[in-house]
Amino acid sequence: AAAAGGESQVAVRDGVPHAARLARIPTARPEADGADLGAPAATLDPDGTVLITGGTGVLGSLLARHLVTERGARRLLLTSRRGPAAAGAPELVAELAALGAEAAVVACDAADREALAALLAGIPAEHPLTAVVHTAGHLDDGLVPSLTPERIDAVLRPKVDAALHLHELTRDLDLAAFVLFSSAAGTLGSPGQANYAAANAFLDALAQRRRAAGLPAVSLAWGLWEQRSEMTGDLTDADVQRMARAGLAPLSSEEGLALFDTACALSAPATGADAGADAAGEPGGPDGTVFVAMRLDTGPLRAQADAGGLPPLFRGLVRGGLRRAAAAGVADAAVSAAARRLAGLSGLPEEEQERVLLEVVRTTAAAVLAYPSPDAVGESQQFLELGLDSLTAVELRNQLNAATGLRLPATLLFDHPTPLLVAARLRAELAGAPGGPAGPDGAAEQGEEEDAGVFGSMLREAGTQGASGQFMELLMQASRFRPSFASAAELRKAPSLVRLSRGGTRPGLVCFSSILSISGPHQYARFASAFRGRRDVHAMAAPGFLRGEQLPSTAEAVIEAQAEAVLRHADGEPFVLLGHSSGGMLAHAVAGRLEGAGVFPEAVVLVDIYSHDDDAIMGIQPGLSQGVDERQGSYVPVDDSRLLAMGAYFRLFGGWKPEAVKAPTLLVRAQEQFFDWTRATDGDWRSYWDLEHTAVDVAGNHFTMMEQHAATTAGTVEEWLDARL
């Protein structure tokens, strides 16, 4: 019965199945004398010390001010990885002092048990630790196949390890409060956040375990806050709109802090006539320990219920559409509507079929990408410009699979980057072309495995054997037998630029994709989003990475083709060339080609480039292979075409040496070491450039500087360009 009930999780205890449901909690729980526990939580001991991990972050700083102004805290110990060097830390300490509180900011990684123990031992006896609030956290989002043990550890460590150490090192202290900042991702699930969801589910369980042992504890599973933090700063407007369409509205700072006080009050041990209320299941579940603190918009939830797609967790909050939800089995209203439109497709003329399919693609894309209507999705508009990323690419492909019954490849939206091209592909497949409707159960999964091709499985085996270098030699030689072009004139399809950001009158950026198998304009999506409204950003793929494309037979051929594409795009307007990793090699080479023709870029920006040095490229090869392998599920699925293209470019640009250009050059280097390699001349592991340039360092490693830290990298580039141009 439990398996047939349609629940994603069921607990069977003593033969009774239990299904999880969210429920509203009354904010008032009357005591025998009529006191209201929904009022703000108790005042903190002014002589005690309050520890806040992540205390210099956005939420930690908000909470520190709140505890001083509203809860009476007078002594705060704020920790973070950078401590006093964190942005805004001195100003925060001064502000808290003006409010009458003494705050110490210390660099301490709470996941380091010895460092945390030393920190706690240093708290003076006259001001003992009386409250702990654990707000620290880290994100490293990606689809499940890309979540390596290292990426999981990076997220679990600041949440799980730190919380466990805080619990064990303070369990014998007389604490008034032990508060864990969890996330609704651990309760609801969140696309691309399997590691983060697991970390927060642990915090919820730890709070329950502490409560069962008679220790103070409350875990707050937060929804989205309006005020962006380091972890939510990369969310685009489309991300926020998509969450809002699911009923998950952001909290203002005032609402969040009010919920913090309310939850702390509700979690306080009951006394007097109400002492048995917790055991009876009031409020906050069995023991008032775990609260989902978020703002729900029930309108979108009712719409999901009416369409039969309401997640079971919300069924206690939204009453409409329950019978249909139990019986329909339809996951999304847009999918069911699309399926109805396609029901009579075969009887229509070919032109009408494509029009209907185009409407389906635009409608589905608008729903997935959080646009108000299909009219906002242009039929020839690039999905990347619309805000497509790896997660939404998978979601949109899956929605189209569900609507059409087809077995569409994981690379669909990268091979066919506009709604018009996708509609044409759908019509061809529905007409019976290769790769048509899925057959028996499991055929789709098998097809996706086949998409990886022969070289994909060989790549994995080469990595297992520690033979990545030999496998690259194989790719380099095999790539000679792909169709090629020796000049721009021989290209069947000239390179085109994809707009990623629109805005401003400043010189636009033209970004060059790297020559790695995971490359493409999508690698600049996060970076470009930081320029929206201020500067145009376009990106260009290297020819040969998509199925059916020709590969260059010489390095000069691709440089010529890309230089001509830049000229067509710029049309006399000023522009800046930029490339990350080996994309910097192409950006610099194209700059030299253009200058030779009398066209001068405003500047060249090289982001962590190593490709101009044979010793470096050999030294970083193992790490590069590891980084590519880790990111295949987060970027674009890698097939034989992409692997052979990477081999061809490695062959053509082996031994490439840059020549001086007149354009001012910026080298942006990663602050964190990723490759196990150092330069023989000076022992430095950082990226370098032997020609004249300005160098700046930014947060992150070779890959994460354009992922989690993309906004910081973009800000550094913008600051330099503003000063130069």
Side-chain angles (χ1 to χ4, degrees), residues 75-95:
R75 298 186 180 277
L76 300 174
L77 179 56
L78 311 178
T79 68
S80 65
R81 285 173 295 178
R82 299 183 62 195
E91 293 81 2
L92 176 62
V93 171
E95 182 181 350

Side-chain angles (χ1 to χ4, degrees), residues 10 58 65 114 216 228 272 329 345 347 381 387 392 457 480 531 560 645 684 692 725:
V10 174
V58 172
R65 298 183 188 97
E114 291 184 2
R228 301 294 176 86
L345 191 68
Q381 195 170 9
T392 49
S457 57
R480 296 179 183 273
F531 291 95
E560 176 193 5
D684 195 351
E692 185 176 350
L725 307 180

Side-chain angles (χ1 to χ4, degrees), residues 662-673:
K662 294 182 179 179
T665 299
L666 172 68
L667 174 63
V668 184
R669 302 179 300 196
Q671 287 180 339
E672 299 174 18
Q673 186 171 4

Side-chain angles (χ1 to χ4, degrees), residues 385-604:
E385 182 181 351
L386 291 165
L388 187 84
D389 57 21
S390 60
L391 298 177
T392 49
V394 171
E395 184 181 355
L396 180 51
R397 189 281 305 259
N398 290 345
Q399 297 277 39
L400 292 173
N401 273 345
T404 61
L406 291 170
R407 188 184 65 217
L408 299 167
T411 57
L412 173 73
L413 301 170
F414 298 100
D415 294 340
H416 305 80
T418 69
L420 199 59
L421 292 173
V422 171
R425 168 70 180 265
L426 295 181
R427 189 191 62 75
E429 295 213 3
L430 289 169
D441 291 345
E445 289 77 2
Q446 180 182 354
E448 288 185 21
E449 184 66 26
E450 291 170 356
D451 282 342
V454 175
F455 291 103
S457 57
M458 293 173 67
L459 172 64
R460 288 189 291 271
E461 183 61 27
T464 301
Q465 296 181 15
S468 297
Q470 294 94 313
F471 180 71
M472 181 58 68
E473 290 289 340
L474 172 64
L475 286 178
M476 291 166 65
Q477 296 306 317
S479 67
R480 296 179 183 273
F481 304 102
R482 282 265 310 270
S484 62
F485 65 95
S487 67
E490 294 182 10
L491 258 177
R492 293 192 296 267
K493 181 184 177 184
S496 60
L497 279 71
V498 178
R499 184 193 294 274
L500 301 178
S501 168
R502 185 191 306 269
T505 58
R506 304 169 183 176
L509 295 177
V510 177
C511 303
F512 290 77
S513 302
S514 77
I515 62 174
L516 301 179
S517 58
I518 57 174
S519 72
H522 53 274
Q523 73 186 86
Y524 293 104
R526 289 193 188 184
F527 175 80
S529 66
F531 291 95
R532 286 176 184 160
R534 295 186 299 166
R535 194 185 294 271
D536 283 355
V537 178
H538 289 77
M540 175 166 44
F545 280 81
L546 298 184
R547 297 174 187 177
E549 287 187 344
Q550 300 159 278
L551 282 169
S553 59
T554 65
E556 290 72 22
V558 67
I559 294 169
E560 176 193 5
Q562 292 194 320
E564 290 188 3
V566 172
L567 281 177
R568 289 192 300 271
H569 162 74
D571 194 25
E573 296 296 323
F575 59 89
V576 174
L577 302 182
L578 179 146
H580 172 234
S581 188
S582 51
M585 171 182 64
L586 293 171
H588 182 87
V590 168
R593 176 84 179 204
L594 292 173
E595 289 187 352
V599 178
F600 295 89
E602 298 293 313
V604 175

Side-chain angles (χ1 to χ4, degrees), residues 205-362:
L206 176 63
Q208 291 171 326
R209 180 166 185 171
R210 282 182 58 91
R211 189 68 169 243
L215 299 171
V218 60
S219 184
L220 300 178
W222 291 106
L224 179 67
W225 288 57
E226 281 181 354
Q227 187 158 351
R228 301 294 176 86
S229 65
E230 287 186 9
M231 292 199 295
T232 61
D234 289 333
L235 287 176
T236 65
D237 291 340
D239 293 327
V240 176
Q241 291 171 23
R242 187 164 57 250
M243 295 174 70
R245 287 170 63 88
L248 311 179
L251 287 165
S252 68
S253 298
E254 293 76 14
E255 290 171 327
L257 294 171
L259 286 177
F260 172 85
D261 285 343
T262 299
C264 289
L266 292 172
S267 68
T271 58
D274 197 46
D278 282 346
E282 300 175 14
D287 55 10
T289 303
V290 179
F291 298 90
V292 178
M294 65 190 305
R295 189 172 174 217
L296 281 177
D297 181 356
T298 56
L301 295 177
R302 290 194 187 95
Q304 292 179 51
D306 291 338
L310 183 71
L313 269 173
F314 293 106
R315 291 180 188 166
L317 300 175
V318 179
R319 302 297 181 185
L322 293 182
R323 293 182 181 177
R324 276 171 289 179
V330 179
D332 187 90
V335 170
S336 58
R340 288 194 297 271
R341 287 198 296 273
L342 296 176
L345 191 68
S346 59
L348 299 176
E350 184 175 301
E351 184 177 335
E352 183 66 13
Q353 288 183 19
E354 193 152 322
R355 187 195 66 76
V356 172
L357 287 166
L358 179 59
E359 181 186 352
V360 168
V361 173
R362 294 175 66 194

